[in-house]
Amino acid sequence: MEVSSWFPFGRDYQPVSVNRFYDSELRSIAGSCMDLDSEFFFMASPYTGCVGNLPRENFFRYQPDSIFNLGFLLILGYSEKAERAVILSLGLGGAKQGLSAGITTCSVWNHGIFEGTSKVIAVSADDPFYECGGYLRLLAKVLEDCSRFIGTPGQSYFAEKFGYDRFFFSWENDNPYDIAASGLLSEFEFDGTREIVGQSPQEDFPSFTGTALSFER
């Protein structure tokens, strides 16, 4: 993922309100994600272009960008609470819309310079022309409800008021024992062992038809 040159890797004073320049619904999603110990990193679709907290220079353009994006991809910072909310959103209709989700690692680059990695939740669609409006409304409602019942309402307010320190570490939300167990399960090489313990817990990212077409002016 390529981010804007002036993206605040350290302290960010607008991790929620910056999304109001594009859509009030995205601002609601960003705020609820903060309350669930997550963050609205990135979204790309044919109808919105590339938006989110990472490519934030797009919010200040009359047209989001000069690139036509095929495919839908949503990336949220990982937390157990956000994971539960995304699973709930898929169960309430997201899966019927051809959406799939999983946990992966996102690499962040700035002008060809590697900045770091972050454990994220990725949601993608198998339709290159997926219209994401319905799912975003559903996700905003689910995240809002989850932030009220299992989250910490008010975190987004204080992040806006006092700043939000952002750092990228792939292990920041992981339990060391879970990492060790996943490593052991992934490293089994014998078919007989796999018949007992099952397949590796890791799967390849689902086929994603996302494509960006750039137009010179």
Side-chain angles (χ1 to χ4, degrees):
M1 177 180 295
E2 184 74 25
V3 304
S4 59
S5 59
W6 59 278
F7 176 76
F9 280 99
R11 177 161 294 186
D12 187 357
Y13 288 94
Q14 292 185 314
V16 176
S17 61
V18 69
N19 294 279
R20 76 178 184 275
F21 291 104
Y22 190 82
D23 186 276
S24 59
E25 204 158 68
L26 293 182
R27 180 183 181 181
S28 173
I29 290 175
S32 296
C33 283
M34 296 290 291
D35 292 339
L36 293 174
D37 304 326
S38 176
E39 186 176 3
F40 173 52
F41 280 149
F42 176 81
M43 185 182 76
S45 79
Y47 306 96
T48 63
C50 297
V51 296
N53 285 358
L54 295 184
R56 62 187 350 173
E57 79 277 6
N58 294 327
F59 294 105
F60 302 97
R61 299 178 183 175
Y62 178 71
Q63 296 178 336
D65 52 36
S66 59
I67 298 176
F68 179 67
N69 297 273
L70 290 176
F72 171 74
L73 179 64
L74 172 69
I75 296 180
L76 305 178
Y78 178 80
S79 74
E80 292 186 4
K81 298 173 184 177
E83 180 184 5
R84 292 166 62 183
V86 170
I87 292 174
L88 180 58
S89 72
L90 294 179
L92 291 176
K96 294 181 180 179
Q97 300 179 28
L99 293 175
S100 57
I103 300 170
T104 186
T105 300
C106 175
S107 299
V108 182
W109 298 78
N110 185 2
H111 287 200
I113 300 174
F114 177 71
E115 297 285 355
T117 61
S118 181
K119 184 178 178 181
V120 299
I121 301 170
V123 183
S124 65
D126 54 12
D127 181 2
F129 297 99
Y130 178 75
E131 205 291 307
C132 58
Y135 177 68
L136 291 181
R137 288 189 290 272
L138 171 63
L139 179 63
K141 181 66 168 60
V142 170
L143 289 173
E144 183 180 352
D145 291 343
C146 289
S147 66
R148 184 180 302 113
F149 292 106
I150 65 175
T152 309
Q155 286 193 143
S156 57
Y157 168 80
F158 290 105
E160 290 278 304
K161 188 174 181 63
F162 300 110
Y164 168 70
D165 288 326
R166 181 185 293 105
F167 300 95
F168 294 102
F169 298 108
S170 59
W171 58 84
E172 61 183 334
N173 293 304
D174 281 324
N175 184 315
Y177 296 102
D178 292 341
I179 296 176
S182 297
L184 290 173
L185 291 173
S186 300
E187 293 167 2
F188 281 126
E189 299 179 357
F190 300 104
D191 294 337
T193 306
R194 288 199 178 280
E195 291 179 0
I196 298 175
V197 302
Q199 296 299 314
S200 169
Q202 297 182 355
E203 298 181 5
D204 292 334
F205 194 84
S207 56
F208 176 62
T209 55
T211 304
L213 303 176
S214 179
F215 302 96
E216 296 292 338
R217 295 182 179 180

